[in-house]
Amino acid sequence: MSCFKLAFKLLKDNLKIYEHYLMVLVVTVATYYNFVAMRYNETYIQLANRLQSTAIASFTCGFVLLCTVIFFMWHSNGFFFKQRQKEIGLYLLMGISSSKIGMVFAIESFLLGALSIVIGLPLGILFSKLFFMLLGKAVSLNVEFPLTISFKAVLQLIIIFTLIFVFLAFKNYFEVKKSQLINMLNATKKNSTVPKLNYPKGFIGVILIIGGYIIGVNVRQQEFDLLLASMSTLIMVCLGTYLLFGSFLTIILSKLIKNVKFKYKNVRIIWLNNTFFRLKINYKTLAMTAILAASTVTAFSISLSFKQFADDNIIMESPYSFSYISNEAEVKQNVEKVINESKHQLIGVNEISFFVVDTKYLNKKHRIDHKNQAIVTSYSEIEKTLEFLNFKNKEIILDKIRPKENEVTFVLNANTIASPFFVKGEELSMNGRVYTVKEDIKVPFTGNIPTLGRKNIYVISDKEYDELKTSLLEITLNGVSITNPEESEDLISKVAEIVPGGFEKVYPYISQYVWEYYALGIFFFLGLFISVVFILATFSTLYFKILSNALLDRDQYIMLKKIGMSRKEVEKTVYVQVAMEFILPIIVGIIHSIVAMSMVEQIMNVKFTLQISSGIVLFALIITIFYLRLSKNYMKMVYQ
Amino acid sequence: MLNLKKIIEALNVTKEYGETGGIFRALKEVSLEINEGEFVGIMGPSGSGKTTLLNIMSTIDKATLGKVQIDGKEITTIKEKEIAKFRRDVIGFVFQDFNLLDNMTIRDNIALPLTLNNVNIDIIIKKIDELSKVMGISPQLDKYPYELSGGQKQRAVICRALINNPKVIFADEPTGALDSKLSSEVLDCFKRVNKEFETTIIMVTHDAFAASYCSRIMFLKDGKINGRLDSNGNKKELYKKILNMLTVMGGTGDELL
């Protein structure tokens, strides 16, 4: 039989073993095609030309995606190789030359790759229509993304994946070729030694994680340098996680093993000892999984948050169709008249009054207010605005910010997306009076209009505001809401003729900012996309790692069955043991991601509770499915 | 020899392998009775069915036809759920390749059957102490299997097999992987267990020296019982008789020795 025929037959016979691997490969190929196709899509290219960050983001994502895929393929390939070592040994015993067996295995793994492309590519093309529809929705654009099969994308995908598969085939070939018969036949027999305990390392690991958490949680309150703080949190937590699984967990388990009262109870003795011994080989994968899980949950939650963040911020920056400054009744009447004569319909006008004052913080070294100037307005004005915009959660916000005497509420200006400064509880002087900052929020008021849009807003009580009226010049901004604001250029020029000061006092529809949020939408989409592949690849890597442990466990369970372990007890042991190696790192990862998200929340001054919860719930759901599948397969491998 | 209680009763046990057309009968209507407190050896050439018989008597394998009773309990019709508990409470196993869990200390290995039964911890610790003294492995209790010699490992396995006071111990070539000095150490242990705890032992072996420790030896050939020898207490005499018997049975000499 020729090598090729033999390889084909082997692949057919072993398809059951490859089931999960092939499934993940097909999904990977399909998603990768979509990803590449998106980058060659003309509408997308136009979009990317306007926003360079999109191109960079998609390039980074593509790179990370490829790395994860290679990582996954490398590990699972190793698993299959281990599983079939005995088979290779038998062929060697039968007198087939190692180079010929190597050839067969190389061809087999290449055929497997080809199969995944043959199935995955058409599937990917089929899904690409759906994908672009989703993308269109995600970036809230009504642009049609046409369905075209991108030959460039197909070509690129085939080249990249063929390269990987050829590389893996070569790896298998050389590994078989240099293999020793005796090692192959005794493949699963391996002597393990007792893991050594390293108390300082374990201790340092926990300290590093806690330290990283403390920095992360206090990033805003302590006003740490943002880049420095996030980098040190990242490094400390990553390093700490490695030490946690490498040393701290070993110490904990050895303590449990020494505790006779805990250990000698039903099947505990088995999984405790197994996990303890495995840790030495497994801890790197466990730590890696914890970190990848943390990034996945964070990426996923942030992606979801971007969407909400963008939606929220569009209204912050552009609350009105257009606005103008004027306090003269006649001007207002004329503007209304012009609107009624135009093709637009007037929905409403929000009239807000405020002062511009000089501010000075008493104990702050950073400058908080642009040019040390800020807007001062009254509680009623904010209330009126939120009512006008029908702003969500307005009752709760209004309840929270109602200032008492000598208190102000700080409202971040519309021009700044997120401020790292923490002003709550600070004292500042305005117009010769000292106020304490009671609350720190972000709500729409003026919108991101020239000059005023950069100024922070201080909300004081109506009584104190009225007192200021005598000494300061009040400014009135009319926020106008009309139908079809996108096509209001003609109308705006007419309004500018009416309003004294012309275009200096009239602020047209702010469309360019909205565009920036479309970019956020793309980030949102890329983030979701990456998360999905991350989850799939990370879990599958661990999946195969744990299943290769099952190969080592087989003899052990045959013996345990003989000394009277029931199926139920074996099941219990397997489920706990798999949980220790699969769920534990993911729980650690989820805790990491909660801290990471709290950092983002602090910096952006928003609450993403819903997004984090949904991210974690979805993640937990996927883990549960993987966990049950994995435990079931593990059980199948050790108990027949 | 009065009032001896039967512990194992095998009646017309037949075992067939393969499907219709190419049936191979490993055991042909074998009947065997073993009394409480006996140390029975099962010998025979390769392929004679001795391990098959042991596996059927010890619930590891199922007979195609026939009945087997252990301690009055019919095991050929026993339910899958009951088997585990039955093995745990009534039977002890000792195999050629030691079968200790590499990831556990000797103490934990021995404790395993008791922890599965949720026995009180103080009792577990006490029993391990007592038994390990009898088996002479007390100093090795907190070591891992890879730190022990073959003989020590096998004695640890015997210790584990004995820990929940089984009625019968099944041993399949227990000295197969040991040299002659370590073999006699292990066999002495078996003898002591048989005497002191009155545990019934059934041992499959192809080694005449090992068989000479038994009180009775059954010979199997081509799936049938072919002969039997009873010990009169003299090991050397029995050893010679065994060799004669094997020659008569016609197995090749070097295989049997």
Side-chain angles (χ1 to χ4, degrees), chain A residues 28-29 73 94 108 141 171 194 200 218 363 374 383 423 498 614 618 622 633:
Chain A
T28 313
V29 169
M73 288 210 236
M94 280 151 63
E108 193 190 331
L141 273 180
K171 182 179 167 257
V194 191
N218 292 312
N363 314 308
E383 190 181 22
V423 291
I498 301 164
S614 48
L618 193 86
I622 300 170
N633 279 337

Side-chain angles (χ1 to χ4, degrees), chain B residues 41-245:
Chain B
I42 298 174
M43 293 194 80
S46 295
S48 61
K50 51 188 193 300
T51 298
T52 311
L53 181 63
L54 187 91
N55 283 347
I56 288 172
M57 287 196 293
S58 62
T59 71
I60 290 177
D61 205 352
K62 286 226 185 269
T64 318
L65 285 169
K67 284 181 174 176
V68 180
Q69 277 191 0
I70 300 180
D71 199 25
K73 175 108 187 155
E74 181 58 52
I75 59 160
T76 40
T77 54
I78 199 166
K79 281 186 192 121
E80 182 68 32
K81 274 185 187 165
E82 284 174 66
I83 277 188
K85 190 154 171 43
F86 186 77
R87 280 182 196 155
R88 215 186 280 171
D89 295 341
V90 185
I91 303 173
F93 288 101
V94 180
F95 295 94
Q96 177 178 352
D97 48 1
F98 313 129
N99 276 320
L100 289 167
L101 299 186
D102 296 333
N103 294 346
M104 287 185 197
T105 59
I106 298 302
R107 192 192 296 277
D108 286 2
N109 262 294
I110 298 172
L112 246 177
L114 292 181
T115 62
L116 290 178
N117 269 355
N118 282 324
V119 174
N120 182 292
I121 291 148
D122 298 327
I123 295 173
I124 297 181
I125 293 167
K126 212 176 118 217
K127 282 198 90 167
I128 295 173
D129 276 349
E130 280 173 14
L131 262 182
S132 59
K133 261 183 211 142
V134 177
M135 293 293 146
I137 49 161
S138 303
Q140 276 79 36
L141 276 182
D142 288 312
K143 289 184 179 161
Y144 283 87
Y146 70 91
E147 298 171 286
L148 265 60
S149 75
Q152 287 169 330
K153 275 192 225 173
Q154 201 59 301
R155 276 182 284 156
V157 174
I158 297 172
C159 217
R160 185 182 65 196
L162 283 171
I163 197 81
N164 43 6
N165 304 323
K167 294 234 161 64
V168 198
I169 287 186
F170 290 98
D172 190 358
E173 303 277 9
T175 57
L178 304 176
D179 64 24
S180 56
K181 187 175 162 284
L182 294 177
S183 286
S184 25
E185 262 180 37
V186 169
L187 289 163
D188 280 331
C189 271
F190 271 124
K191 198 83 195 161
R192 217 177 312 140
V193 168
N194 182 242
K195 283 252 166 66
E196 284 178 30
F197 305 109
E198 288 173 3
T199 312
T200 314
I201 300 173
I202 298 160
M203 174 172 78
V204 162
T205 183
H206 67 263
D207 175 11
F209 174 73
S212 68
Y213 279 77
C214 300
S215 59
R216 169 158 67 113
I217 301 155
M218 304 302 293
F219 292 89
L220 273 182
K221 195 185 173 187
D222 298 332
K224 280 183 181 160
I225 289 181
N226 202 273
R228 100 176 236 180
L229 281 175
D230 286 275
S231 170
N232 59 3
N234 188 330
K235 248 169 54 184
K236 275 191 182 152
E237 209 174 287
L238 184 63
Y239 180 65
K240 275 182 193 153
K241 280 187 192 166
I242 296 168
L243 289 185
N244 281 336
M245 188 71 158

Side-chain angles (χ1 to χ4, degrees), chain A residues 384-435:
Chain A
K384 196 168 72 188
T385 310
L386 296 189
E387 290 287 350
F388 177 79
L389 296 170
N390 202 11
F391 196 68
K392 68 173 180 186
N393 296 332
K394 55 178 187 262
E395 289 87 2
I396 302 168
I397 295 170
L398 288 171
D399 232 32
K400 203 169 90 175
I401 65 165
R402 197 185 301 268
K404 295 197 197 80
E405 210 172 320
N406 294 330
E407 278 182 353
V408 290
T409 291
F410 176 87
V411 179
L412 188 67
N413 65 70
N415 191 260
T416 310
I417 288 181
S419 145
F421 300 123
F422 190 78
V423 291
K424 214 159 144 177
E426 289 293 332
E427 289 183 326
L428 83 158
S429 86
M430 289 188 297
N431 223 35
R433 260 178 97 157
V434 176
Y435 295 91

Side-chain angles (χ1 to χ4, degrees), chain A residues 339-401:
Chain A
I339 295 170
N340 286 334
E341 282 165 5
S342 74
K343 59 181 176 176
H344 304 279
Q345 270 163 3
L346 182 68
I347 298 169
V349 181
N350 185 38
E351 224 183 283
I352 46 176
S353 318
F354 48 86
F355 308 113
V356 173
V357 296
D358 292 333
T359 58
K360 192 177 181 309
Y361 275 86
L362 302 182
N363 314 308
K364 245 354 191 200
K365 37 181 200 297
H366 303 285
R367 198 171 61 191
I368 308 288
D369 296 317
H370 183 65
K371 290 182 180 165
N372 279 337
Q373 278 192 335
I375 294 170
V376 172
T377 190
S378 71
Y379 173 77
S380 314
E381 296 294 315
I382 294 287
E383 190 181 22
K384 196 168 72 188
T385 310
L386 296 189
E387 290 287 350
F388 177 79
L389 296 170
N390 202 11
F391 196 68
K392 68 173 180 186
N393 296 332
K394 55 178 187 262
E395 289 87 2
I396 302 168
I397 295 170
L398 288 171
D399 232 32
K400 203 169 90 175
I401 65 165

